[in-house]
Amino acid sequence: MARILREEDVAEVLDMDAVIAAVTAAMRELGEGKAQNEPRRRAFAPGALLNVMFAAYPGGACMGLKAYSVSGGKARFLVTVFGLDGTLSALIDADLLGAYRTGAATAVAARALAPKGPVAVALIGSGHQARTQALALSRVLEISELRVFSRDQGHREAFAAEQATAFGLKVVAAPSAEEAVRGAGVVVTITTSTDPVLDAAWVTGPALVVGAGSNFANRSEIPADLVERAQTIVVDQLATARLESGDLIAAHAAGKFEWERAVELGSVLAGGWKPPEPPGVTLFESHGLALWDLAAASTVLPAAEAKGLGQVVEVFG
């Protein structure tokens, strides 16, 4: 028997603290060689795109895949979860789930890599994914001020007002990306831009910069000069970054980055990396792993079962 969870079911039981804890555990397992993650693969059709990614997460007693189509400006996300015995456990509508796990991954990196103590946080982007970035960071950082910049003034002002109410923080709708970034201890880019959205000169250490918006080789949010300047470069998974990190691929092509400089987040969490002194600028490249989807699903599924949410169906006789 498998449980079908629709978006409204997922929304009822999603908890950011639980997702952060699960993503932390899953990434540590990946760093220890216990979990496995396969990078995203894409198939292109006329007017449509299919993306498939899969992983095994023993600590969450599950394995599975995320598949999503993009067509006509709409994406449709489905996470398929199997038990470790091979039985089908769940089919999960996974738009909100994906936003939570992406935010959670940023929080995991920030907790491990960001400067200690109160920090100003700059968000470049004010869309759907920016909300869960802010939510996740509020769980792991002492935020002195949250600044947001996006190209649409109305969007960024509405986002700032919403976040101020949600978190009781000082939230500033910055008039420019530069005013958002300068002096920030944590900078997160979460946009759909194909070109860099900030200047390397705006970032001073110690600081953590998170590139979370792009997972295409031909898109860059972070300039090559900042990649070159970064003292530490952390990726979610090296195999994934080599395929999808437009930031690092462009910097490598410009002769400003060598792949040997990159360390995986799993290695950081598993104790296989020692932070430099002084820390300088740290860059975390977040592209999105199926392992994160399984980690999030491993928190949602038992909570949904306890509440009797979703539809239970027999798939295999």
Side-chain angles (χ1 to χ4, degrees):
M1 306 296 285
R3 190 173 298 269
I4 298 174
L5 297 178
R6 293 172 173 81
E7 195 79 342
E8 57 269 24
D9 302 318
V10 173
E12 188 169 334
V13 293
L14 258 181
D15 176 78
M16 183 57 84
D17 291 325
V19 177
I20 291 171
V23 171
T24 300
M27 289 303 288
R28 185 177 293 113
E29 283 196 18
L30 187 63
E32 294 169 345
K34 298 174 183 176
Q36 184 177 357
N37 186 87
E38 291 299 320
R40 183 179 358 243
R41 293 294 187 268
R42 293 183 166 103
F44 295 84
L49 171 64
L50 178 65
N51 306 261
V52 180
M53 48 210 290
F54 55 99
Y57 174 30
C62 62
M63 55 188 179
L65 60 92
K66 178 164 79 173
Y68 62 101
S69 63
V70 182
S71 181
K74 182 175 177 58
R76 300 165 176 85
F77 301 89
L78 178 67
V79 168
T80 304
V81 183
F82 293 89
L84 295 181
D85 61 356
T87 57
L88 179 63
S89 302
L91 299 170
I92 305 175
D93 189 350
D95 186 10
L96 189 59
L97 189 83
Y100 264 64
R101 61 75 145 154
T102 304
T106 295
V108 172
R111 187 159 54 191
L113 302 168
K116 305 307 178 187
V119 291
V121 174
L123 278 178
I124 308 299
S126 61
H128 173 55
Q129 292 270 357
R131 288 172 172 80
T132 46
Q133 293 287 317
L135 173 62
L137 287 172
S138 75
R139 295 292 203 263
V140 299
L141 297 178
E142 185 181 349
I143 301 175
S144 60
E145 179 179 79
L146 177 63
R147 309 168 190 164
V148 60
F149 173 78
S150 61
R151 290 175 297 178
D152 188 298
Q153 180 179 351
H155 285 174
R156 68 176 180 260
E157 289 179 350
F159 181 90
E162 173 191 280
Q163 299 305 304
T165 300
F167 304 124
L169 295 171
K170 179 183 179 183
V171 185
V172 176
S176 68
E178 180 175 359
E179 291 189 52
V181 170
R182 282 198 181 274
V186 175
V187 178
V188 179
T189 61
I190 186 74
T191 75
T192 57
S193 178
T194 57
D195 300 309
V197 295
L198 54 84
D199 191 293
W202 303 344
V203 181
T204 54
L208 170 65
V209 178
V210 179
S214 172
N215 55 34
F216 279 85
N218 60 349
R219 295 181 183 174
S220 296
E221 293 184 301
I222 308 298
D225 287 347
L226 184 55
V227 175
E228 182 179 41
R229 255 190 59 212
Q231 187 162 351
T232 301
I233 296 173
V234 180
V235 297
D236 49 15
Q237 185 184 33
L238 188 55
T240 296
R242 284 182 174 273
L243 292 173
E244 299 186 350
S245 183
D247 299 334
L248 300 184
I249 290 168
H252 178 72
K256 297 183 177 183
F257 167 73
E258 296 299 330
W259 289 102
E260 292 75 16
R261 291 182 58 201
V263 59
E264 294 186 317
L265 181 59
S267 179
V268 172
L269 298 178
W273 170 82
K274 184 178 180 180
E277 286 293 341
V281 174
T282 301
L283 174 63
F284 173 55
E285 289 285 339
S286 175
H287 312 100
L289 305 184
L291 184 61
W292 301 349
D293 294 289
L294 289 182
S298 74
T299 72
V300 164
L301 189 53
E305 289 172 348
K307 287 194 168 189
L309 299 177
Q311 179 183 0
V312 178
V313 297
E314 184 175 354
V315 178
F316 302 117

